[in-house]
Amino acid sequence: MMMSDALNDMVEKLVKNGKADKTLVVAQAEENLLTRFAVNRIHQHVRQETLKVTVVVEKNKKVGIAGTSSLKPDEADALLDKALLNAELSSGESTLELAETGEQQFDMKSRFVEDLIDAHDERAQIVASIIEKGEKAQADAFGVLNATREKVIIRNSAGTNLGWQGSVGLVTSSHPFKGWASSFTEESLRGCRGCSPVSAQRPPSPEA
Amino acid sequence: MKDFLEHLVQKALDQGATYADARRVRRRTEDIFVRDGKLEQVQLAETEGYNLRVLVDGSFGFAASYDFDKPEKVVSEAVGIARASAKVNRKKIEWHQQAPVSGHYEGPMEIDPFKVPLDKKVGVLLEADKIMAAKPQIKHREHFLQFWEEEKEFFSSEGSYVTQHYVESGGQIQGTALEGTQMQVKSYPNSFGDFRKAGWEFIEEMDFVGHAEEVADLAVALLTAPNLPQDVANIIILGPQLSLQVHESVGHATELDRVLGYEASYAGTSFATLDNLGKLYYGSKAMNITSDPTLPYGLGSFGWDDEGTPAHQVYLIKEGLLVDYLSDRETSAQIGHSSSGASRADGWWSLPIVRMTNVSLLPGDKTLEELMDMAGNGYMFDINKNWSIDDKRLNFHFGAEAAWEIKNGKKGKLYKNPSYWGITPEFWNSLVAVAGPQEWRVWGLPNCGKGEPGQTMRVAHGTAPALFKNIKVGGNE
């Protein structure tokens, strides 16, 4: 997935910028596969590949923030300049507290989820089995199947370098129930003065 | 980038799609926050990416990416996803064919806010803050400005190609008064701020500095105001609060995907089911609600929605009768209507779904003074403080920052912690009259949540003060 090398290079360039007194970079790249189903059909099946890089700088006891979704070669410099400009224009003193947690890398990939991300047919078949159960019960199946691959980098100029990559967020839910379409019932409108849900009779006018 | 989008669409057709559309979106935002006399944060962000939606074997697939170097991956993913869904879906999607559209939409703007010097922008908030801070009971202040620029391109296999560009500006000032155990918050001009498709001129029009003292005074006055007594009363709801009432109890309830059950697992359904279309008197004769993205300054204004449907006005409720829904090309086809032009995505990464545009309560012909006279005795509610509503959009409760007594048709004393509650059709059938065009304005709402993964849409609601009879009201600490 996700252009790891380009992302690592950009984060490295930002952390070692040499212009700010302190720098924090948070980068998050995500590949999300989501299958939503309702009324016994898949109505939303999407793949989203997203990226967000945020840099926070402190310069002369002033803090500025800027963010981007681009990994273009000149983007690191442009992003840093924006953050520094924002810091320069800030009023009053504020400081950026940096954690000193050293270097730690976490890899928490789930083989099952990894496979599921790349297997469109398998995801659809899981949903199909839920729908089938719903239909057998003469009910409608509603729910979502979500599989996400994610990479997060948190680095700062105090030497903290935290990396996390994994595949998480698999949530499967189904809510089969019957008769939702008749939700607007007399019972649900108990106490409603004069408004009949399926009547073309106009209720009495509430004129002053 | 037309060539890039056209390439995506053509590749999808080559791989078996019977329809494809591609969107590219670039967004630039600037957020400025001032808290207690200090500039707390200025945040600049940019994002750009694209997506492809394809129809293969009667099912949709969608893929989005920020990586412009790998369009083939996006095409193969979208087509593969659609093909997998088609194996599950027994019924093929039927939707409206659409005549090709082309052109450019440019949002209204006089002064580009991104070219206004940052110290001038911050200065407005700091000056308003200073005025509010002069009141000793105002212990905490928070203010913000937000500017948002977006350019969008849309290309479809039907031959449509449209481009859109607009700027949105908004902001808010807010003061919190504290004394003993009492705390009261007052905001201007609305509790979520107010936003428009406009430039810096809208910030000047809101005149935060000119309103700062009044906002602070009201927050302080609320500290010693009595709670609104429990009552059944005639109430006038002013424009800002009424905009949220329209949003929650009409806008969401008339979203056709909710009505058809597609949002049941997350956002909820709607009491306004299909058997009520053309039959349900949602409200009194004074209630006329439209979806109208052609309004010039609304956050829900555009030239074309995100599947190329041209902006147009649609009545959702006409003289109280439910006559249509907010819809897109797919959902509208299921009920034999045409799309209301409400297919919207909150960014390049998102699939367009049915969203509000500018959903407005049309003006009547009264003045606020005439409404107060008609009310006789009652209460007047200003801007929102809190709310809750069930997943069918039927039972609701709204709290406002302040309310005033109406006594013999005149504005009277101030009450704190006011709230009112009701059942949606009963409440709207209690609508007596709406103030006229001179008091009607469009309120921007930047944070409408819906969908999975969650999408945050920017919508708007035109409202004027309106009089409702016999509404349950009360106040609590």
Side-chain angles (χ1 to χ4, degrees):
Chain A
M1 76 173 219
M2 310 168 197
M3 359 176 80
S4 288
D5 290 345
L7 183 58
N8 289 336
D9 290 350
M10 184 175 183
V11 172
E12 172 95 5
K13 194 171 180 184
L14 285 167
V15 170
K16 297 182 176 173
N17 65 74
K19 292 181 182 174
D21 299 331
K22 294 179 186 174
T23 305
L24 168 68
V25 183
V26 179
Q28 183 175 16
E30 190 176 289
E31 187 178 0
N32 181 41
L33 273 297
L34 179 114
T35 315
R36 293 182 83 192
F37 54 101
V39 204
N40 293 339
R41 60 178 285 257
I42 294 172
H43 67 97
Q44 188 175 322
H45 199 172
V46 303
R47 173 183 182 271
Q48 298 164 299
E49 186 181 25
T50 57
L51 171 74
K52 189 172 184 186
V53 179
T54 303
V55 61
V56 189
V57 296
E58 182 191 313
K59 177 83 175 173
N60 299 329
K61 295 203 179 298
K62 292 181 175 185
V63 174
I65 304 175
T68 186
S69 69
S70 172
L71 288 177
K72 288 175 190 165
D74 55 353
E75 189 65 18
D77 289 335
L79 190 65
L80 185 68
D81 287 347
K82 282 179 201 160
L84 286 166
L85 179 66
N86 287 340
E88 189 184 329
L89 291 163
S90 294
S91 63
E93 288 192 355
S94 56
T95 53
L96 178 61
E97 299 296 331
L98 296 180
E100 296 179 26
T101 49
E103 184 164 341
Q104 294 184 60
Q105 302 297 320
F106 302 92
D107 196 330
M108 298 175 72
K109 286 182 181 167
S110 152
R111 172 58 62 88
F112 177 67
V113 178
E114 289 285 320
D115 289 348
L116 208 53
I117 286 170
D118 297 322
H120 306 322
D121 281 346
E122 264 189 49
R123 291 195 312 277
Q125 282 311 310
I126 290 171
V127 170
S129 68
I130 297 170
I131 290 173
E132 193 183 333
K133 282 177 187 162
E135 286 177 331
K136 275 185 185 162
Q138 294 184 307
D140 291 324
F142 297 79
V144 59
L145 176 66
N146 194 9
T148 301
R149 185 183 282 148
E150 191 178 44
K151 180 183 175 90
V152 178
I153 303 170
I154 301 170
R155 288 190 63 177
N156 68 35
S157 53
T160 292
N161 183 359
L162 304 176
W164 184 87
Q165 56 183 341
S167 38
V168 291
L170 175 66
V171 179
T172 309
S173 62
S174 67
H175 314 276
F177 57 100
K178 296 178 183 179
W180 75 271
S182 59
S183 59
F184 185 51
T185 62
E186 292 294 346
E187 189 182 353
S188 66
L189 274 176
R190 189 174 292 149
C192 173
R193 297 184 304 269
C195 43
S196 172
V198 289
S199 160
Q201 297 289 312
R202 179 174 289 283
S205 171
E207 282 164 18
Chain B
M1 295 291 276
K2 183 183 178 186
D3 291 349
F4 181 82
L5 299 182
E6 191 171 1
H7 172 74
L8 287 170
V9 166
Q10 188 55 53
K11 286 286 179 191
L13 297 176
D14 293 346
Q15 292 182 29
T18 52
Y19 169 86
D21 61 37
R23 277 187 300 124
R24 179 191 68 86
V25 181
R26 187 187 71 81
R27 179 181 299 156
R28 175 165 62 137
T29 55
E30 180 179 21
D31 292 277
I32 301 168
F33 300 95
V34 163
R35 185 193 297 235
D36 296 333
K38 284 178 72 172
L39 174 61
E40 186 165 271
Q41 196 177 99
V42 179
Q43 188 162 356
L44 285 172
E46 281 195 38
T47 184
E48 184 174 13
Y50 63 99
N51 64 65
L52 176 70
R53 183 175 67 153
V54 300
L55 190 59
V56 180
D57 299 337
S59 285
F60 275 122
F62 175 90
S65 179
Y66 58 87
D67 186 354
F68 284 83
D69 293 331
K70 293 179 184 164
E72 279 72 21
K73 167 89 170 160
V74 167
V75 175
S76 65
E77 291 284 329
V79 171
I81 283 169
R83 203 157 263 145
S85 297
K87 290 175 187 166
V88 175
N89 292 337
R90 289 184 206 111
K91 196 178 168 198
K92 292 180 189 298
I93 285 171
E94 291 172 11
W95 74 333
H96 293 294
Q97 297 298 307
Q98 190 163 280
V101 291
S102 62
H104 176 74
Y105 167 84
E106 186 70 34
M109 179 184 68
E110 290 171 26
I111 304 167
D112 185 348
F114 291 94
K115 291 183 178 163
V116 173
L118 186 55
D119 55 355
K120 183 174 178 181
K121 297 175 198 170
V122 175
V124 167
L125 298 184
L126 289 174
E127 198 178 338
D129 187 272
K130 196 174 170 186
I131 293 166
M132 295 171 85
K135 313 282 173 188
Q137 296 100 325
I138 300 291
K139 305 292 188 192
H140 179 58
R141 291 96 52 204
E142 278 188 39
H143 326 293
F144 72 83
L145 294 175
Q146 185 187 69
F147 306 103
W148 176 292
E149 181 188 31
E150 196 158 276
E151 64 180 49
K152 295 165 97 171
E153 266 182 294
F154 173 86
F155 185 92
S156 83
S157 57
E158 291 168 331
S160 291
Y161 176 65
V162 294
T163 56
Q164 311 196 59
H165 173 259
Y166 49 82
V167 166
E168 295 170 352
S169 301
Q172 181 198 55
I173 55 172
Q174 186 180 76
T176 301
L178 278 167
E179 202 163 64
T181 59
Q182 288 291 316
M183 182 184 87
Q184 291 293 327
V185 177
K186 198 73 194 75
S187 318
Y188 171 84
N190 203 350
S191 46
F192 313 99
D194 194 14
F195 300 80
R196 269 191 200 166
K197 275 201 166 53
W200 177 252
E201 69 277 5
F202 180 53
I203 305 300
E204 290 181 336
E205 184 186 317
M206 285 193 283
D207 188 13
F208 289 147
V209 174
H211 285 88
E213 185 162 15
E214 171 194 336
V215 173
D217 284 343
L218 204 43
V220 171
L222 282 166
L223 288 172
T224 51
N227 273 317
L228 190 77
Q230 193 139 327
D231 200 353
V232 174
N234 300 336
I235 66 170
I236 291 172
I237 303 178
L238 299 177
Q241 168 58 35
L242 195 54
S243 69
L244 192 67
Q245 178 76 51
V246 169
H247 180 92
E248 300 294 349
S249 69
V250 184
H252 279 307
T254 55
E255 291 165 341
L256 188 50
D257 55 348
R258 295 176 69 114
V259 171
L260 294 172
Y262 297 139
E263 286 292 330
S265 66
Y266 186 66
T269 59
S270 171
F271 76 94
T273 45
L274 294 179
D275 52 346
N276 293 294
L277 185 62
K279 295 174 181 169
L280 171 67
Y281 279 102
Y282 206 110
S284 72
K285 216 169 181 174
M287 183 189 193
N288 289 287
I289 301 271
T290 61
S291 165
D292 190 357
T294 69
L295 292 176
Y297 302 110
L299 290 190
S301 301
F302 46 76
W304 301 268
D305 73 2
D306 286 332
E307 54 182 12
T309 300
H312 61 288
Q313 186 197 57
V314 172
Y315 270 86
L316 303 175
I317 293 163
K318 196 162 195 176
E319 295 188 345
L321 188 66
L322 176 68
V323 293
D324 208 345
Y325 295 103
L326 291 161
S327 63
D328 56 15
R329 292 169 66 181
E330 183 190 349
T331 54
S332 60
Q334 292 185 43
I335 64 165
H337 286 210
S338 56
S339 169
S340 75
S343 181
R344 305 180 71 196
D346 73 345
W348 56 261
W349 55 87
S350 295
L351 179 76
I353 57 175
V354 176
R355 302 306 302 250
M356 289 175 230
T357 60
N358 303 312
V359 175
S360 303
L361 175 66
L362 298 187
D365 58 1
K366 307 293 181 195
T367 64
L368 179 57
E369 287 68 31
E370 286 171 332
L371 291 181
M372 287 200 287
D373 196 45
M374 290 164 75
N377 296 315
Y379 305 98
M380 185 156 64
F381 288 72
D382 77 341
I383 69 180
N384 188 259
K385 188 175 186 178
N386 52 56
W387 81 96
S388 65
I389 188 163
D390 68 44
D391 69 340
K392 291 187 177 66
R393 304 280 145 177
L394 207 49
N395 299 281
F396 65 79
H397 177 282
F398 284 91
E401 287 186 351
W404 291 267
E405 177 186 41
I406 302 169
K407 196 166 187 183
N408 298 322
K410 304 290 178 204
K411 186 176 175 183
K413 67 181 173 187
L414 180 70
Y415 288 100
K416 68 182 174 188
N417 304 324
S419 61
Y420 65 92
W421 56 93
I423 300 170
T424 296
E426 176 182 324
F427 173 82
W428 283 104
N429 273 287
S430 302
L431 173 65
V432 178
V434 184
Q438 71 280 3
E439 313 216 29
W440 190 87
R441 60 162 290 187
V442 178
W443 299 91
L445 190 77
N447 57 349
C448 173
K450 187 182 173 184
E452 281 178 291
Q455 295 194 37
T456 304
M457 187 51 66
R458 297 162 76 84
V459 304
H461 305 287
T463 53
L467 170 63
F468 296 81
K469 294 278 278 187
N470 300 323
I471 303 299
K472 291 171 184 163
V473 302
N476 46 24
E477 291 291 343

